[in-house]
């Protein structure tokens, strides 16, 4: 059984073909710059040179056709014919309140996805375009949608409601949804497995820290709170996103400072976070370099970022009346020794003791707390594609 996992962005397609008999990734790739100059497909297969196709790609359908061609390519491909693809799993950002689990895509689901566009105007449209392109190219292959929001649907009302007029929720769906759900679900279940414990017996805080970042409080296997909100702009400080700020700042920017809605949107999503604070980079590695060279703004950016994550951990310990294990995942979470150390520094009062030697680790599942620590701390690499493939397999069986 082979499953193709597709993650469509506005001008990109990420893909993986996974053999579910052993969960081996047969090929993975990225198509970039769809619809703009310089379109390029890069496919990687373990043990082989990269396969690169540079050709104009007008739209996603064309790009996905090239992905299928690359997968069946006689010299560079990994399957003989498209018939070997048994199903396609699509990453979909927003499933609204409708979807708390992955679902087989049919006409009704497509309608619901369209209805969610107003909640995720940047993200859901390319996901829908990708699904339609795959349906046109593989009309008889079952497709599954896996939602970033689904895992967080177990949050209680008190966690997801905003204290604004109730009709904003009732009429317009304004509430906390949360994102990165596939990743939080995966690493929480992985850490339970690694610890040899039942997920249902654990209080877990998962810290997904990449370019975008979010934390989740997971009690007895269910998400009870998460740091991203109505959109992925909320929560902890990120690479280019502000995270939580006083909403009145937005009003001030619009009224007193005269910025347009588009400008404010771009400032908060693309020019803020550690990029905005440092003026140097959104990449945490560059900021660490800056900090080590004594750059004040890089240092400030990292301090603000780390403080925001630390406070969120504290909040979730309060929300769950304790924590058994904290998990770090995604680009920074899996790889940044100094950031993990700084985030956890000063939490000894709460029973969190990092082991510095164990913390010197990159991208592998590992316990990084001391044995004497009341709270375990782990690094667990995320694998959203594998979750999408597993969900897809589970649904089509
Ligand atoms: P995305 O949110 O785009 O999926 P990733 O999870 O791939 O992001 O994480 C990418 C980010 O992780 C980079 O922007 C970088 O800042 C950070 N990162 C990766 N490796 C390290 C490292 N060794 N130290 C600090 N940050 C890192």
């Amino acid at each position: 059984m082979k499953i193709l996992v597709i993650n469509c962005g506005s001008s990109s397609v990420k893909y993986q073909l996974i053999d579910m008999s052993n969960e081996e990734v047969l090929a993975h790739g990225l198509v970039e710059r769809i619809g703009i100059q310089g379109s390029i497909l890069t496919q990687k297969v373990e043990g082989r040179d990269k396969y690169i196709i540079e050709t104009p790609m007008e739209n996603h359908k064309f790009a996905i056709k090239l992905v299928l061609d690359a997968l069946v390519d006689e010299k560079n491909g990994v399957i003989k014919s498209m018939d070997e693809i048994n199903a396609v799993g699509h990453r979909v950002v927003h499933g609204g309140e409708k979807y708390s689990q992955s679902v087989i895509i049919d006409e009704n689901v497509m309608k619901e996805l369209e209805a969610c566009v107003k909640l995720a105007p940047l993200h859901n449209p390319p996901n829908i375009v990708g699904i339609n392109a795959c349906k046109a190219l593989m009309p008889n292959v079952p497709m599954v949608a896996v939602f970033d929001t689904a895992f967080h649907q177990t949050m209680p009302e008190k966690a997801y409601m905003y204290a604004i007029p109730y009709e904003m929720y009732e009429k317009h769906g304004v509430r906390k949804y949360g994102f990165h759900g596939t990743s939080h679900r995966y690493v929480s279940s992985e850490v339970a497995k690694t610890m040899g414990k039942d997920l249902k017996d654990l209080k877990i805080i998962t810290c997904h820290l990449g370019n975008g970042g979010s934390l989740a409080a997971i009690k007895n296997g269910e998400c009870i709170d998460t740091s991203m909100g109505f959109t992925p702009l909320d929560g902890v400080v990120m690479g280019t996103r502000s995270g939580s700020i006083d909403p009145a700042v937005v009003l001030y920017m619009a009224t007193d400072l005269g910025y347009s809605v588009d400008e404010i949107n771009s400032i908060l999503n693309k020019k803020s976070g550690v990029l905005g604070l440092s003026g140097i980079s959104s990449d945490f590695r560059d900021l660490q370099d800056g900090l080590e060279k004594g750059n004040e703004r890089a240092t400030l950016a990292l301090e603000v970022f780390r403080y925001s994550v630390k406070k969120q951990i504290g909040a979730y310990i309060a929300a769950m009346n304790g924590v058994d294990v904290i998990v770090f995942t995604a680009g920074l979470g899996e790889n940044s020794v100094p950031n993990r150390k700084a985030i956890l520094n000063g939490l000894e009062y709460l029973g969190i003791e990092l082991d510095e030697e164990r913390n010197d680790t990159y991208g592998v599942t590992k316990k990084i707390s001391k044995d004497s620590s009341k709270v375990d701390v782990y690094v667990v690499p995320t694998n959203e594609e594998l979750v999408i493939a597993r969900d897809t397999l589970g649904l089509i069986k």
Side-chain angles (χ1 to χ4, degrees):
M1 187 74 86
K2 295 186 183 89
I3 290 177
L4 178 62
V5 176
I6 293 276
N7 179 356
C8 267
S10 57
S11 65
S12 69
V13 179
K14 284 190 204 152
Y15 66 96
Q16 283 194 5
L17 184 68
I18 303 180
D19 181 348
M20 296 310 285
S21 64
N22 53 4
E23 297 191 334
E24 182 194 351
V25 177
L26 301 174
H28 63 106
L30 171 65
V31 191
E32 292 167 283
R33 303 184 64 83
I34 299 165
I36 46 180
Q37 230 184 357
S39 307
I40 178 168
L41 178 153
T42 312
Q43 176 165 286
K44 292 180 196 158
V45 175
E46 180 82 20
R48 288 197 213 158
D49 288 341
K50 275 184 202 164
Y51 177 40
I52 294 174
I53 305 174
E54 280 177 277
T55 183
M57 299 178 206
E58 202 176 308
N59 53 39
H60 283 73
K61 188 171 166 197
F62 192 89
I64 290 173
K65 173 79 175 69
L66 283 183
V67 168
L68 298 174
D69 289 347
L71 290 171
V72 301
D73 186 81
E74 224 172 292
K75 184 156 161 267
N76 302 285
V78 289
I79 48 175
K80 289 206 176 66
S81 111
M82 262 167 57
D83 297 342
E84 290 184 46
I85 300 174
N86 302 98
V88 182
H90 292 270
R91 176 196 182 210
V92 178
V93 169
H94 218 306
E97 288 191 320
K98 175 84 187 171
Y99 297 109
S100 55
Q101 271 164 6
S102 304
V103 63
I104 293 195
I105 299 171
D106 60 16
E107 283 316 307
N108 274 336
V109 171
M110 290 309 288
K111 280 189 201 135
E112 295 286 348
L113 296 187
E114 292 286 353
C116 287
V117 164
K118 69 177 188 335
L119 297 172
L122 293 179
H123 295 100
N124 270 30
N127 299 156
I128 293 170
V129 166
I131 294 170
N132 281 328
C134 285
K135 286 208 300 191
L137 295 162
M138 297 174 267
N140 299 318
V141 177
M143 314 240 167
V144 166
V146 180
F147 303 96
D148 266 22
T149 49
F151 181 62
H152 302 302
Q153 278 296 308
T154 47
M155 282 188 289
E157 258 183 331
K158 68 178 176 193
Y160 71 70
M161 286 301 292
Y162 295 131
I164 56 178
Y166 195 78
E167 66 196 45
M168 286 291 169
Y169 167 65
E170 257 186 331
K171 288 199 186 140
H172 308 296
V174 179
R175 52 159 280 181
K176 174 184 287 209
Y177 290 97
F179 299 87
H180 292 144
T182 312
S183 176
H184 291 292
R185 168 155 69 105
Y186 177 73
V187 298
S188 57
S189 87
E190 280 298 300
V191 84
K193 245 189 266 166
T194 306
M195 294 167 76
K197 297 231 165 106
D198 191 336
L199 191 56
K200 294 207 160 64
D201 297 330
L202 290 172
K203 294 172 183 172
I204 308 175
I205 297 174
T206 46
C207 311
H208 177 112
L209 303 172
N211 244 322
S214 68
L215 278 71
I218 301 163
K219 193 173 178 183
N220 310 330
E222 289 195 340
C223 174
I224 62 139
D225 207 346
T226 189
S227 60
M228 283 179 169
F230 179 60
T231 74
L233 184 55
D234 198 10
V236 296
V237 172
M238 302 174 222
T240 63
R241 292 183 215 140
S242 62
S244 308
I245 58 170
D246 180 347
V249 172
V250 178
L251 305 179
Y252 182 68
M253 284 174 165
T255 51
D256 289 60
L257 306 182
Y259 287 103
S260 70
V261 171
D262 282 350
E263 284 168 331
I264 296 172
N265 193 16
S266 160
I267 289 172
L268 296 178
N269 276 293
K270 297 188 178 145
K271 298 177 187 165
S272 294
V274 290
L275 169 67
L277 274 172
S278 68
I280 295 177
S281 171
S282 63
D283 193 304
F284 290 88
R285 286 164 288 203
D286 298 338
L287 299 176
Q288 189 62 35
D289 281 349
L291 178 146
E292 282 161 21
K293 291 186 182 122
N295 182 297
E296 281 179 19
R297 294 262 299 277
T299 307
L300 172 69
L302 282 177
E303 280 179 349
V304 175
F305 161 73
R306 291 161 173 177
Y307 185 55
S308 77
V309 178
K310 183 193 297 250
K311 280 195 297 184
Q312 196 65 73
I313 290 173
Y316 288 160
I317 293 176
M320 295 191 289
N321 188 18
V323 61
D324 298 302
V325 54
I326 298 172
V327 183
F328 284 92
T329 194
L332 179 149
E334 291 166 28
N335 298 301
S336 181
V337 176
N339 276 300
R340 288 192 301 251
K341 180 179 165 186
I343 288 166
L344 297 180
N345 185 32
L347 295 180
E348 296 80 11
Y349 176 81
L350 295 173
I352 299 165
E353 295 175 60
L354 190 73
D355 183 307
E356 289 213 26
E357 231 166 82
R358 288 179 184 170
N359 187 39
D360 191 8
T361 187
Y362 304 83
V364 288
T365 296
K366 192 176 158 198
K367 180 174 162 176
I368 57 169
S369 50
K370 290 185 182 162
D371 289 333
S372 59
S373 181
K374 196 164 88 184
V375 178
D376 283 345
V377 184
Y378 276 81
V379 171
V380 178
T382 193
N383 193 342
E384 287 154 282
E385 291 77 12
L386 182 59
V387 180
I388 294 172
R390 284 178 181 169
D391 278 11
T392 303
L393 180 68
L395 281 166
I396 62 159
K397 253 183 178 175

